[in-house]
């Protein structure tokens, strides 16, 4: 799953796959992008604090109450 997530972000960021204001954005694709963005940030913070990424409550600790600017 981590490989697929990294491949997804590679496709979005580095292959110049950006949406303009005129284009319609698929709501589910944008929501998936936002969810993966939060998840990857939480995993990175969990690794930074040298905690186990397989411990779900530890990862959720970094997901809760997070604010960000999403695609939509």
């Amino acid at each position: 799953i981590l490989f697929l997530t990294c491949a997804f972000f590679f496709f979005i960021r580095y292959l110049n796959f950006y949406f303009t204001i005129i284009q319609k954005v698929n709501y589910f694709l944008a929501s998936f992008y936002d969810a993966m963005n939060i998840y990857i940030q939480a995993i990175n913070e969990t690794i930074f604090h040298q905690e186990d990424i397989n411990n779900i409550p530890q990862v959720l600790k970094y997901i809760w109450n997070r604010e960000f600017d999403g695609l939509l």
Side-chain angles (χ1 to χ4, degrees):
I1 291 178
L2 187 58
F3 173 75
L4 293 176
T5 304
C6 293
F8 178 75
F9 280 108
F10 176 79
F11 179 70
I12 295 291
R13 302 262 175 152
Y14 296 107
L15 295 180
N16 202 16
F17 187 71
Y18 294 103
F19 296 108
T20 62
I21 296 173
I22 299 171
Q23 293 174 322
K24 290 184 179 180
V25 177
N26 185 339
Y27 178 77
F28 295 107
L29 179 63
S31 298
F32 179 73
Y33 175 83
D34 292 339
M36 288 295 104
N37 195 3
I38 290 175
Y39 177 70
I40 294 298
Q41 288 178 4
I43 291 293
N44 284 337
E45 290 180 14
T46 305
I47 292 171
F48 178 76
H49 293 289
Q50 297 177 349
E51 298 171 352
D52 184 19
I53 62 172
N54 295 321
N55 188 353
I56 302 301
Q58 290 289 24
V59 177
L60 288 177
K61 179 176 70 173
Y62 297 109
I63 292 177
W64 290 333
N65 295 325
R66 180 179 295 271
E67 295 181 7
F68 69 100
D69 293 329
L71 288 177
L72 299 176

